[in-house]
């Protein structure tokens, strides 16, 4: 396990570079993101440990980041002052682009993995916006009418975009549809709703319908194009198939003691995901499906969700875990995590699983 200290700054997000197997970036904030500066760290893994290549200090907190998919040295940041900044780690300490249309904190940014000339952002102002790095204004504004913590493009389609919000919904937008009155919204899935025909009294299964609570994070499965996972304040990770939203969650993973702040599906295995929580742990999970099933549904009995399984956990953090990410390169299992304890850890999930 490797460790780097983001001294004076509390980690909020971490992402591996899509171009280099030894490079990653951390977005961090002073004073736990409540007030003060932010800092973007560009780090490299070396034989001597984790070494900072460069850092950029910002006037406000940084909550999220995303590597550019078209330029290996550029990183987007989401800021507490409502701005989105693009930095180039080969240039001096200022952003090469600065977008400012959101009215409140920007809490997530995500680069389109298919149409690599665009990215999206979500904000507490109740909107998701789509941008081009070559345009000074946003391309599209998608209203959610609720504090939006996480937005992401599907890794399988350039025009499908999703988000999760404080009102406990997953919203799916298709940018190919006419805007009209729907603003490209094609689907709203109530995360805590009961399926159409719940099975009463099924042992080992949590209540089918729960009081709504804020959804803080979500991620698309890299191998099953219609499957995504959500999590948040109620501590439960759920997976959904957007082809059958009325069936409710396909699988539920229960075990975290406090809110789940970040989710990431494995880039190597279709049934494995990683979570980071306010309970100071990172946990690896299986959603209960077979890793070789491809696009098949998770097996379950009727509409009741299958129960996923915790495979292992890492408990080195001493404060909230706010960011996790998988390394796409090399042997499967390496990941990074960051948190409010000013620590970045790079570690092997297989060791946590006892493999």
């Amino acid at each position: 396990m490797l460790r780097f200290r983001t001294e004076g700054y509390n980690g909020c997000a971490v992402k591996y570079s899509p171009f280099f197997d030894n490079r990653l970036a951390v977005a961090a904030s002073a004073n736990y993101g409540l007030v003060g500066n932010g800092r973007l760290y560009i780090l490299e893994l070396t034989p001597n440990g984790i070494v900072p290549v460069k850092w950029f200090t910002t006037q406000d907190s940084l909550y999220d980041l995303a590597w550019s998919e078209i330029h290996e040295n550029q990183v987007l940041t989401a800021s507490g002052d409502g701005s989105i900044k693009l930095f180039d780690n080969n240039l001096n300490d200022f952003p090469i682009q600065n977008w400012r249309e959101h009215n409140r904190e920007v809490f997530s940014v995500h680069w389109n993995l298919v149409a690599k000339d665009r990215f999206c952002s979500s904000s507490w102002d109740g909107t998701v916006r789509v941008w081009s790095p070559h345009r000074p204004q946003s391309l599209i504004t998608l209203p959610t009418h609720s504090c939006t913590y996480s937005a992401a493009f599907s890794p399988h389609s350039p025009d499908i975009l999703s988000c999760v919000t404080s009102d406990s919904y997953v919203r799916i937008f298709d940018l190919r549809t006419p805007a009209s009155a729907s603003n490209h919204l094609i689907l709203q899935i109530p995360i805590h709703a009961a399926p159409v025909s719940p099975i009463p009294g099924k042992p080992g299964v949590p209540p089918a319908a729960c009081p709504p609570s804020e959804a803080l994070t979500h991620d698309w499965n890299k191998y099953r194009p219609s499957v995504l996972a959500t999590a948040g304040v109620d501590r439960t990770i759920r997976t959904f198939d957007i082809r059958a939203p009325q069936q409710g969650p396909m699988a539920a993973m229960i075990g975290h003691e406090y809110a789940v702040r970040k989710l990431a599906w494995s880039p190597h295995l279709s049934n494995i995901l990683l979570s980071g929580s306010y309970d100071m742990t990172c946990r690896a999970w299986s959603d209960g499906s077979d890793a070789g099933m491809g696009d098949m549904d998770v097996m379950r009995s009727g509409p009741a969700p299958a129960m996923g399984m915790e495979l292992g956990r890492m408990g080195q953090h001493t404060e909230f875990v706010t960011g996790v990410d998988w390394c796409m390169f090399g042997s499967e299992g390496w990941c990074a995590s960051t948190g409010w304890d000013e620590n970045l850890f790079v570690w092997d999930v297989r060791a946590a699983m006892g493999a």
Side-chain angles (χ1 to χ4, degrees), residues 87-114:
F87 291 93
D88 189 311
N89 62 22
N90 282 337
L91 301 178
N92 291 328
D93 191 13
F94 59 88
I96 60 173
Q97 287 271 33
N98 189 10
W99 297 272
R100 188 146 192 179
E101 292 183 22
H102 285 294
N103 299 321
R104 292 200 59 193
E105 293 87 341
V106 181
F107 214 62
S108 78
V109 285
H110 186 265
W111 209 286
N112 195 315
L113 301 179
V114 184

Side-chain angles (χ1 to χ4, degrees), residues 119-136:
F119 61 90
C120 68
S121 61
S122 71
S123 169
W124 293 1
D125 66 7
T127 66
V128 173
R129 294 177 188 260
V130 178
W131 311 80
S132 164
H134 310 299
R135 295 276 298 273

Side-chain angles (χ1 to χ4, degrees), residues 13 25 28 84 94 142 147 183 205 210 242 269 277 281 292 340 344 350:
I84 301 163
F94 59 88
L142 305 169
C147 181
N183 292 293
V205 174
C210 310
I242 65 172
L269 299 168
S277 167
T281 67
W340 279 12
L344 165 77
R350 295 166 298 180

Side-chain angles (χ1 to χ4, degrees), residues 16 20-22 45 267-268 325-336:
Y16 276 94
F20 302 105
D21 60 357
N22 67 331
L45 307 176
H268 302 289
D325 194 34
W326 296 88
C327 182
M328 295 184 296
F329 302 98
S331 58
E332 60 195 47
W334 283 96
C335 70

Side-chain angles (χ1 to χ4, degrees), residues 201-207 252 254 305-308:
K202 185 175 176 62
V205 174
I254 298 173
M307 292 305 294

Side-chain angles (χ1 to χ4, degrees), residues 10 40 48 71 90 95 106 128 148 160 163 207 216 220 232 251 284 290 330 333 349:
N10 310 104
L40 170 65
N48 297 318
H71 196 299
N90 282 337
V106 181
V128 173
T148 309
I160 301 296
C163 67
L216 302 177
W220 288 89
D290 183 340
V349 173

